[in-house]
C-alpha cells in the first residue's frame, strides 16, 4: 500500500508527491495532513508536485481543499513545482485553484511560507522589501 | 483512416483510472506525441474514466491508435457505461454543472483538452463518449 | 465483369493517364472509382490530383493485365532479367544518355558524376531484385514486403528525398526512374525481335514495374517537401518567440506579429519552460510588436499568464499602444487582474521594485 510521507521542518510540514495519485490515496493524504497540522501546530504546509505528471479536477479539488482546511487550522499551504505541461492543462481544463498559493520550486515555496508566517529569513534578493 | 492497434480495459475502481492514465501516457510517448499533448489527453482520460466510474457505475474503455491517410497519428478513446445516462447533454457540458461530487469540469473541460469529442447519451440509455487527439 | 468491359479496358493505350478517355469504362466497371474521378474536379493541390489519377491508371493497368490470358511468365521475365544482368553496362550508358538529353536534366543541382553513380547503384539494385524475384511478385501485395524490392525502394527514396531537398520539381524527380523505360525497351526489342506477342507482354511487365517505382518516387517527393515545410514552420515559430533573460529572476517575452492558436501554444510552452529552467518568478510579456489585440488574442495571453501563475511566476503585460488600448476598450477586452504597463521600461522598473532593487546613477547628483 502506497503512503505519502509527511515531513516536518521547523514550523512547517513538507510533502513531496512521488507516486501516481489515485483517489483513495488523495483522500487519505487529506485526512493525515489535517491531523498532523493540528498535532504539530504547523504554520505552513508545502506540497511539492514537481514529479506529478497529471492534475485532473479531482486532484485539483484535493489541493484546493487542503489549502482551505489548513488555513482554517492556522497554516498556509503552498503548492510548488507545477510542471509547464500540467499548468497548461489545468488552465485549459478550467481549474482555477483560487485558494492555492504556488511557487516555482521547494526553495521559493519555503521562502514564501516563512514570509507568510512572519519569520525573518534575511534578504535573498527575491523578497519584497518593506515599503 | 485506419486503426492500427486496439485494446479494451475495464473501469471498475479508482485504481483502473490510474492504470488507464499510465497506459494512455505510455502509448502516446511511443507514438511521439508532445509532452503537452500527452498531459492533456491523459487528463481528459482521467476525467472521463472517473465519470464512467462514479456516474455510470463502471464501464469499459477502448483505446485505438489511428493512422490517417495523410500519415497523421491519433489516439482515440471510447468510454461506455450502462448507467443512468445524461438527460440534458448541453447543460452537462457547461462548466460548473454537476450532479455529484466533482467540480463539474469533467465533460466541458475534457472537451477543451482534445481535438474531437463526441457524446451519445440519454435518460436510462447509458453514456458513450469518444475523444480523439491528433499528433 | 462483362466481356465488352474487358474489351474496352484492353483498348486503352497502356500507360495512358488520360482520365477523360477512361472514365466511361471506369464508371461502368466500378462505381467506386467514379468517386475517385471526382477528385479531378475538386480544387485540390495539383500533385495530389496527379497522384490520384496516376494511381487510378495503375489500378486499371493491373486490372487489364489480370484479365488477359496468363502469358508464359517465366519465359518473358527471364528476358528482362537477361537484359538487365548481361547488358547492364549498355543499359546504363543508354539510360544516362537519355537522362542527359532530357529536358528535365538539372546539371545545376546534380553533377554528371553523381548522376552516373546514382544510376549505376540503382540499376545494380534493380537488376538484383529482378533476378531474385523473377519479376513474379510485382502485382501481389508481397511486393511491398519482399526484401530485394525493399532495397530498391529505399535507395530510390533516398535519391528522391535528397532531390526534394535540393529543389528539383516532382516531374524532374520522377523522370529519373521513368527514363529507364526507353533503354530497357530498346534492348528488349533487340533481344526478342522474333516474337512480338512476347515482347509486348514483357514490355508490359516492365512498364507496370517502373510506373510503380515512379509513383513511389512521386509519393516520396511529396513527403519530402511536406517535411521541409513542416520543419520551416517549426523553425519560424521557434525563431519568432525568443524568451530573454533581463535580470536574475526576470524574463522578457517580446511578441511580434499575429497571435494564432498554434503560435500561442508554442509561445506558452516556451515561456513556461524557460520560467522553470531559469527559476524566474517574474515575466514581462511585451506586446509592442503585436498588430491586433482582439478577444481571442487576449484570451490566449490570459491563459499563458494563468499557467505561469500556477507555476509560481507573475506576469506583467507591457507595450499596449494607444490605438490598441482604444480597440480593446471598444471590444470590451481586458486583461483583468493582470498588471499592465505602457512601456517595457516601465515594466522593467516595476519588476525591479518587486525584487527590491533600485537603479541609480554612479555619480552622486550635484
Amino acid at each position: 500500500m502506497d503512503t505519502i510521507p509527511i515531513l516536518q521542518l521547523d514550523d512547517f510540514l513538507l510533502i513531496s508527491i512521488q507516486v501516481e495519485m489515485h483517489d483513495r490515496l488523495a483522500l487519505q493524504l487529506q485526512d493525515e495532513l489535517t491531523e498532523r497540522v493540528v498535532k504539530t501546530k504547523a504554520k505552513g504546509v508545502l506540497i511539492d508536485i514537481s514529479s506529478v505528471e497529471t492534475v485532473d479536477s479531482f486532484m485539483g479539488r484535493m489541493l484546493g481543499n487542503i489549502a482551505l482546511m489548513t488555513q482554517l487550522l492556522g497554516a498556509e499551504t503552498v503548492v510548488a513545482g507545477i510542471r509547464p505541461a500540467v499548468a497548461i492543462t489545468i488552465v485549459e481544463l478550467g481549474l482555477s485553484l483560487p485558494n492555492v498559493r504556488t511557487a516555482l520550486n521547494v526553495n521559493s515555496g519555503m521562502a514564501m511560507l516563512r514570509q507568510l508566517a512572519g519569520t525573518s529569513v534575511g534578504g535573498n534578493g527575491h523578497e519584497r522589501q518593506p515599503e | 483512416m485506419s486503426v492500427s492497434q486496439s485494446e479494451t480495459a475495464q473501469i471498475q475502481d479508482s485504481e483502473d483510472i490510474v492504470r488507464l492514465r499510465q497506459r494512455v501516457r505510455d502509448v502516446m510517448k511511443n507514438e511521439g506525441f508532445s509532452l503537452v499533448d500527452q498531459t492533456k489527453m491523459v487528463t481528459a482520460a482521467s476525467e472521463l474514466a472517473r465519470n464512467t466510474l462514479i456516474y455510470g457505475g463502471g464501464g469499459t474503455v477502448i483505446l485505438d491508435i489511428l493512422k490517417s491517410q495523410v500519415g497523421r497519428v491519433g489516439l482515440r478513446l471510447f468510454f461506455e457505461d450502462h448507467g443512468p445516462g445524461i438527460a440534458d447533454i448541453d447543460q452537462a457540458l457547461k462548466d460548473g454543472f454537476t450532479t455529484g461530487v466533482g467540480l463539474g469540469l469533467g465533460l466541458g473541460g475534457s472537451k477543451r483538452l482534445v481535438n474531437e469529442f463526441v457524446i451519445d447519451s440519454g435518460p436510462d440509455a447509458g453514456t458513450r463518449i469518444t475523444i480523439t487527439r491528433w499528433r | 465483369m462483362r466481356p465488352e468491359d474487358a474489351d474496352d479496358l484492353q483498348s486503352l493505350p497502356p500507360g495512358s493517364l488520360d482520365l477523360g478517355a477512361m472514365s466511361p469504362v471506369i464508371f461502368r466497371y466500378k462505381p467506386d472509382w467514379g468517386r475517385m474521378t471526382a477528385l479531378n474536379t475538386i480544387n485540390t493541390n495539383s500533385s495530389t490530383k496527379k497522384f490520384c489519377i496516376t494511381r487510378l491508371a495503375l489500378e486499371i493497368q493491373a486490372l487489364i493485365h489480370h484479365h488477359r490470358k496468363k502469358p508464359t511468365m517465366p519465359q518473358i521475365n527471364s528476358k528482362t532479367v537477361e537484359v538487365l544482368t548481361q547488358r547492364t553496362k549498355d543499359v546504363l550508358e543508354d539510360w544516362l544518355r537519355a537522362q542527359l538529353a532530357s529536358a528535365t536534366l538539372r546539371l545545376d543541382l546534380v553533377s554528371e558524376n553523381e548522376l552516373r553513380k546514382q544510376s549505376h547503384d540503382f540499376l545494380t539494385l534493380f537488376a538484383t531484385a529482378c533476378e531474385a524475384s523473377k519479376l513474379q511478385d510485382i502485382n501481389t501485395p508481397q511486393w511491398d514486403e519482399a526484401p530485394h524490392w525493399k532495397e530498391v525502394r529505399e535507395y530510390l527514396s533516398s535519391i528522391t528525398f535528397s532531390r526534394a531537398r535540393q529543389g528539383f520539381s516532382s516531374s524532374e524527380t520522377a523522370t529519373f526512374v521513368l527514363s529507364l523505360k526507353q533503354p530497357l525497351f530498346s534492348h528488349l526489342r533487340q533481344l526478342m525481335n522474333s516474337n512480338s506477342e512476347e515482347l509486348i507482354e514483357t514490355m508490359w511487365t516492365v512498364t507496370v514495374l517502373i510506373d510503380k517505382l515512379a509513383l513511389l518516387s512521386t509519393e516520396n517527393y511529396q513527403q519530402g517537401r511536406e517535411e521541409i515545410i513542416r520543419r520551416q514552420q517549426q523553425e519560424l515559430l521557434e525563431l519568432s518567440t525568443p524568451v530573454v533573460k533581463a535580470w536574475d529572476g526576470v524574463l522578457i517575452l517580446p511578441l511580434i506579429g499575429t497571435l494564432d492558436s498554434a503560435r500561442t501554444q508554442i509561445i506558452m510552452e516556451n515561456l513556461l519552460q524557460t520560467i522553470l529552467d531559469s527559476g524566474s518568478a517574474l515575466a514581462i510579456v511585451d506586446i509592442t510588436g503585436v498588430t491586433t489585440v482582439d478577444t481571442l488574442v487576449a484570451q490566449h495571453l490570459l491563459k499563458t499568464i494563468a499557467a505561469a501563475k500556477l507555476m509560481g511566476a507573475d506576469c506583467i503585460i507591457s507595450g499596449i499602444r494607444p490605438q490598441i488600448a482604444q480597440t480593446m476598450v471598444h471590444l470590451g477586452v481586458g486583461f483583468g487582474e493582470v498588471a499592465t504597463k505602457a512601456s517595457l521600461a516601465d515594466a522593467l522598473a516595476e519588476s525591479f521594485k518587486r525584487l527590491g532593487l533600485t537603479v541609480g546613477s554612479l555619480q552622486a547628483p550635484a
Side-chain angles (χ1 to χ4, degrees), chain B residues 16-124:
Chain B
D16 287 339
I17 302 177
V18 175
R19 268 191 288 274
L20 176 68
R21 285 208 294 252
Q22 282 163 343
R23 185 66 195 137
V24 169
R25 190 169 290 274
D26 286 350
V27 167
M28 291 183 93
K29 237 179 233 170
N30 270 340
E31 296 295 332
F33 280 86
S34 78
L35 189 60
V36 174
D37 283 350
Q38 289 173 31
T39 310
K40 285 184 176 174
M41 188 67 169
V42 170
T43 307
S46 184
E47 295 293 329
L48 296 179
R50 187 171 291 104
N51 279 356
T52 302
L53 182 65
I54 295 174
Y55 302 113
T60 52
V61 55
I62 300 173
L63 189 151
D64 291 329
I65 299 174
L66 307 176
K67 299 257 149 75
S68 82
Q69 264 140 0
V70 290
R72 281 185 88 189
V73 176
L75 178 66
R76 181 173 67 194
L77 298 176
F78 173 70
F79 293 87
E80 184 175 31
D81 68 58
H82 301 286
I86 301 166
D88 186 343
I89 292 176
D90 285 341
Q91 197 190 9
L93 280 168
K94 280 195 190 114
D95 278 357
F97 175 82
T98 177
T99 57
V101 292
L103 280 178
L105 291 168
L107 284 183
S110 309
K111 193 177 174 192
R112 284 192 294 272
L113 294 176
V114 297
N115 299 124
E116 289 160 31
F117 182 97
V118 181
I119 180 165
D120 168 32
S121 183
D124 296 320

Side-chain angles (χ1 to χ4, degrees), chain C residues 138-156:
Chain C
I138 61 166
N139 278 319
T140 62
Q142 286 87 44
W143 192 75
D144 289 332
E145 273 118 45
H148 33 268
W149 286 115
K150 201 167 163 241
E151 264 179 72
V152 174
R153 282 199 304 263
E154 276 169 5
Y155 188 69
L156 185 61

Side-chain angles (χ1 to χ4, degrees), chain C residues 8-29:
Chain C
D8 280 348
L9 284 171
Q10 293 207 33
S11 69
L12 291 169
S16 163
L17 293 186
D18 185 359
L19 195 69
M22 288 178 187
S23 53
V25 188
I26 297 160
F27 267 103
R28 196 148 12 105
Y29 181 62

Side-chain angles (χ1 to χ4, degrees), chain A residues 82 87 90 92 102-104 125, chain C residues 275 279-280 303 309-311 355:
Chain A
I82 296 183
I90 291 176
E92 286 290 341
T102 52
L104 279 174
Chain C
I275 285 175
S280 305
K303 276 184 187 170
K309 180 86 201 129
L310 280 172
M311 290 179 59
L355 293 178

Side-chain angles (χ1 to χ4, degrees), chain C residues 209-237:
Chain C
L209 178 61
I210 289 186
D211 284 356
K212 264 191 158 183
L213 290 170
L215 265 182
L216 176 85
S217 173
T218 312
E219 216 173 316
N220 284 338
Y221 176 84
Q222 215 174 320
Q223 284 168 0
R225 299 297 284 190
E226 276 163 15
E227 179 61 41
I228 292 169
I229 294 169
R230 244 198 318 273
R231 211 186 45 232
Q232 285 176 343
Q233 270 177 342
Q234 190 68 27
E235 275 169 12
L236 199 67
L237 281 171

